[in-house]
Amino acid sequence: MPIQPIRLFGDPVLVTPAAEVVDFDKELRRLVADLTETMIDAPGAGLAAPQIGVPLRVFVWDIDDNLGHLINPSLDLSDELQDGEEGCLSFPDLRYDTPRAFSVVAKGWNMHGEPVVLEGSELMARALQHETDHLDGILFIDRLDSASRKLAMKEIRESEWFGLAKEYGTTPEIRISPHNPFGKSL
Ligand code: CO
């Protein structure tokens, strides 16, 4: 169950919609284990399969001592919204205020093919939305208004890691420390 390199913004896999999981087999359980181990190592609060280069609809989270995974998710979003900072492991050291629904009901499957229904609010809801977006090839900067997105893109272009995704494919050694103390990325 090796730790996988995390793909950085600029890698095409991050903007490509992922495929539904069809086989709930040993390989899927290995993917969930790899995602979990990679997220904990980062450390992060959530990680989606495309972020380790696997274009399948699977993600994991580690929030408030609650470690979990979800496969082929669909979300019902509350009308109530929340504001707050959000980061992404594919955008090292960058965080932006990102509007999200305050709470969600997520439906999907666990790695054994059993149906799962989850309810989450605040950070858990934010993580479920962020990770489900990853499976649709949507990144958190896409959720910013155009002025904020423009500022974010400027900062991204000036970051140490920008361009490395294209140059090397992956950059596991570029992990920048210390991590932001205000919260882990997703
Ligand atoms: Co992310």
Side-chain angles (χ1 to χ4, degrees), residues 19 21 24 28 31-32 35-36 39 47-50 56-62 67-76 104-120 124 127-129 131-132 135:
V21 169
F24 289 76
L28 176 67
L31 172 60
V32 171
L35 278 168
T36 303
M39 169 183 66
L47 189 65
L56 288 173
R57 301 184 74 81
V58 180
F59 62 73
V60 298
W61 65 85
D62 182 9
L67 194 62
H69 69 276
L70 194 62
I71 292 154
N72 297 345
S74 63
L75 302 186
D76 283 322
V104 304
V105 177
K107 291 178 186 160
W109 283 264
N110 67 19
M111 61 183 163
H112 306 293
E114 296 155 351
V116 173
V117 181
L118 286 166
E119 283 186 57
M124 184 63 192
L128 289 167
Q129 291 168 82
E131 303 310 339
T132 301
L135 307 184

Side-chain angles (χ1 to χ4, degrees), residues 63-84:
I63 290 173
D64 300 332
D65 294 326
N66 166 15
L67 194 62
H69 69 276
L70 194 62
I71 292 154
N72 297 345
S74 63
L75 302 186
D76 283 322
L77 306 181
S78 65
D79 292 331
E80 191 186 346
L81 300 176
Q82 60 173 318
D83 284 318

Side-chain angles (χ1 to χ4, degrees), residues 51 88-89 130-131 134 186:
Q51 290 180 282
C88 177
L89 292 170
H130 180 109
E131 303 310 339
H134 270 304
L186 297 158

Side-chain angles (χ1 to χ4, degrees), residues 144-172:
L144 308 179
D145 62 50
S146 63
S148 308
R149 192 172 191 281
K150 211 171 265 185
L151 286 172
M153 278 310 302
K154 184 173 183 295
E155 204 176 2
I156 288 163
R157 279 192 299 269
E158 290 168 353
S159 72
E160 288 180 45
W161 52 264
F162 182 68
L164 293 176
K166 275 199 180 101
E167 213 172 319
Y168 301 115
T170 58
T171 54

